[in-house]
Amino acid sequence: MQETMQFEMKLQTAKADLSLRREIWVLLVWLLLVQKGEAQQPFASPAQTSPSPGTATWALLHKNVGIASMHTAVTHTGQVLFLDRTDIGPSLISLANGLCRDNQRDMSSQHDCTSHSLMFNPIDNSVRPLLVITDTWCSSGQFLPNGTLMQTGGYNDGVQRVRWLTPCGSDGSCDWVESSTDLLQAGRWYASNQLLPDGRMFVLGGQYSPTYEFIPSNGLGIFTLPLLESKNYFNWYPFIHLLPDGTLYIFADRDSLILDYNTNTIVKTFPSIPGEPRNYPCAGSSVMFALENGGTSAPEVLVCGGASIMAPGNVTAQYPASQTCGRITVWDTNPGWSMQDMPIRRNMGDMVMLPNSQILIINGAQNGAQGWDNAASNPVLNPVIYDPDSWSFQVQPASTIPRVYHSTANLLPDGRVLVAGSNCHIHYTFVGEFPTELRVEAFQPAYMDPIHDSIKPLFVSNPITISYGAPFDVQVSIPGPVQGMVGLTLTSSPFTTHSYSQGQRQVKLAISPPMQLSSNVYSISTKGPLNANVAPPSWYMLHALHQQIPSYGVWVQVQ
């Protein structure tokens, strides 16, 4: 005990000494600037203007949820939807109340009393099994304006299916609903979805389907997209980003275009991104950076990672994965790719938009490509965080669990990132280098370090619904003195699968300076996103940020 106290005293002395040195250094810098005529007022110390970096950590949430989540989505009721394929044979969690799944077209188990989908509660880490009938292998999805998840396609008997799940709370009994009459017009396996401003679903691509369609179709048929026709193999799970003018940015392999889906015309094409193919089975990922000032900024797209064109099907070679990211401002007159190297080469990485608008790149492997068994090797255990403003990467602490093929990562309202899945095998296999992974963990970015508690905002009041362009106020409490502005971001909840989060987007709201209401409560005036092109009607996570430290998010419905 005495040795511990002595150590703590030495530690505090060292911290105080470091703080003093920092203050002296800041003062010397300021004096130098004054002498040069470049400073009009004293420097604020770094400890005052920005928080200490803190430490990112990992936490194991569940040792065995029973399924490997190939598809993951966070619902506005607080539950997380896990979904695997159905034709893998029995999982490790039984359906409740004696339910069984009987499907004569299933390729593995026509009578199966285990679950292949479940609801996970990130508050108490409990699970509730769900019943899904048709095969959801490599399917697609996204949330509708009312918060219902629309899930489309798959394999075998699921290739044209449309499924719905209307979320409920932890004490509810919501489950999958499948229709035998509402079907996709084309079979879609490895497709991508995008919610449109009018609430329709845009469904694009898939193996052997270089086309797109709408749900509901309203009498419209299917439309061919030449970009997908020309790619043949490296166009599965194409990247789609809804732009603030209502058109769609679509990326496949190494090429991209802007599609006006209302007139079914290609508005613009872009130069090929340098480097490797970026879509399945080479598995890069993509995000559109946060739209600024309520959605008035020019959209910029980031594409990172991928695999050698020779990697798929060439297991022996284990070609190195891509180490590059490219970003492009799609409304530039002559747009081009600005390329950067990541600290770690990576394929099968998931990209997650954090509440502070930085990008987490997590999961994946450094060699090979997507595929069964030994298609990839050398797992990437360290996430990295990319700061779009400074164009910089920061390597994060490593997980102990490899997350390769069929793994997912999703933002939770509290700021954690839920990490699940990883299965390189046709059936559940618990031997070998990459066994089927049933553990669920959370990556906790440095902004969650308790060192930031004195500046972390907390919502005191907030709206439940937000209307486009309409003003509203929020109130936040901040324990310590407020420095600078208090930001507000809206972040969607995407459908994450195969290294791409379908429907992921973020909007930074225009804000007023905080108005102090009491000793530590402040009011911030803002207004909703510009229109439905900027933020399609749906449920979003609203976060307040103070010195880039986010609050616990609250769910709001934008309409």
Side-chain angles (χ1 to χ4, degrees), residues 116-138:
H116 302 281
S117 180
L118 55 85
M119 282 291 190
F120 177 81
N121 186 341
I123 303 299
D124 62 10
N125 302 325
S126 60
V127 298
R128 181 173 67 85
L130 304 176
L131 173 63
V132 61
I133 301 297
T134 57
D135 194 4
T136 51
W137 182 12
C138 297

Side-chain angles (χ1 to χ4, degrees), residues 5 32-34 80 85 141 168 201 211 286 303 314 324 351 364 385 422 433 450 457 475 504 510 538 554:
M5 293 178 63
L32 180 62
L33 290 174
V34 169
V80 183
R85 49 189 287 208
C168 55
M201 190 68 70
T211 62
S286 178
V303 177
N314 194 337
T324 61
M351 297 173 74
I385 289 180
S422 188
E433 182 180 7
Q475 293 180 11
Q504 182 171 220
S538 191
V554 294

Side-chain angles (χ1 to χ4, degrees), residues 97-360:
N97 303 318
L99 283 176
C100 293
R101 171 178 165 271
D102 290 292
N103 185 342
Q104 295 306 307
R105 291 191 59 185
D106 189 273
M107 296 188 301
S108 181
S109 301
Q110 289 76 41
H111 180 73
D112 186 358
C113 299
T114 63
S115 175
H116 302 281
S117 180
L118 55 85
M119 282 291 190
F120 177 81
N121 186 341
I123 303 299
D124 62 10
N125 302 325
S126 60
V127 298
R128 181 173 67 85
L130 304 176
L131 173 63
V132 61
I133 301 297
T134 57
D135 194 4
T136 51
W137 182 12
C138 297
S139 51
S140 56
Q142 203 173 333
F143 287 104
L144 295 171
N146 66 356
T148 293
L149 182 72
M150 175 182 283
Q151 217 273 326
T152 52
Y155 185 68
N156 191 24
D157 63 333
V159 72
Q160 286 185 264
R161 291 287 184 156
V162 179
R163 310 169 192 87
W164 296 273
L165 193 144
T166 300
C168 55
S170 58
D171 56 349
S173 58
C174 51
D175 211 330
W176 286 104
V177 175
E178 299 194 34
S179 173
S180 58
T181 56
D182 296 321
L183 301 174
L184 292 168
Q185 298 177 71
R188 301 200 182 275
W189 190 33
Y190 299 90
S192 295
N193 292 9
Q194 173 61 55
L195 179 66
L196 299 177
D198 60 9
R200 289 182 298 164
M201 190 68 70
F202 178 87
V203 188
L204 172 69
Q207 187 179 11
Y208 315 124
S209 297
T211 62
Y212 60 90
E213 63 181 279
F214 304 88
I215 304 174
S217 66
N218 295 331
L220 298 175
I222 59 175
F223 302 87
T224 299
L225 190 66
L227 174 67
L228 299 190
E229 279 190 315
S230 65
K231 296 305 173 186
N232 199 18
Y233 182 46
F234 297 100
N235 62 2
W236 304 354
Y237 281 126
F239 306 145
I240 311 172
H241 300 296
L242 175 66
L243 302 179
D245 64 355
T247 59
L248 297 175
Y249 176 85
I250 298 172
F251 181 105
D253 188 1
R254 296 175 54 237
D255 296 311
S256 54
L257 54 79
I258 293 178
L259 173 71
D260 184 340
Y261 61 85
N262 288 308
T263 60
N264 303 305
T265 56
I266 297 172
V267 176
K268 192 174 187 177
T269 59
F270 298 90
S272 300
I273 189 173
E276 297 80 2
R278 310 287 177 160
N279 294 84
Y280 186 97
C282 292
S285 192
S286 178
V287 296
M288 182 172 68
F289 291 139
L291 297 171
E292 305 272 353
N293 198 31
T296 59
S297 60
E300 189 173 1
V301 170
L302 178 71
V303 177
C304 291
S308 166
I309 194 172
M310 302 297 292
N314 194 337
V315 173
T316 304
Q318 288 297 298
Y319 290 95
S322 172
Q323 196 161 351
T324 61
C325 288
R327 51 192 288 180
I328 189 168
T329 304
V330 300
W331 284 355
D332 280 357
T333 304
N334 295 299
W337 291 96
S338 299
M339 303 302 296
Q340 289 181 265
D341 281 346
M342 296 183 287
I344 310 169
R345 66 180 189 266
R346 189 183 309 250
N347 63 57
M348 296 184 285
D350 289 282
M351 297 173 74
V352 181
M353 300 193 74
L354 300 176
N356 60 8
S357 302
Q358 295 181 343
I359 311 299
L360 175 71

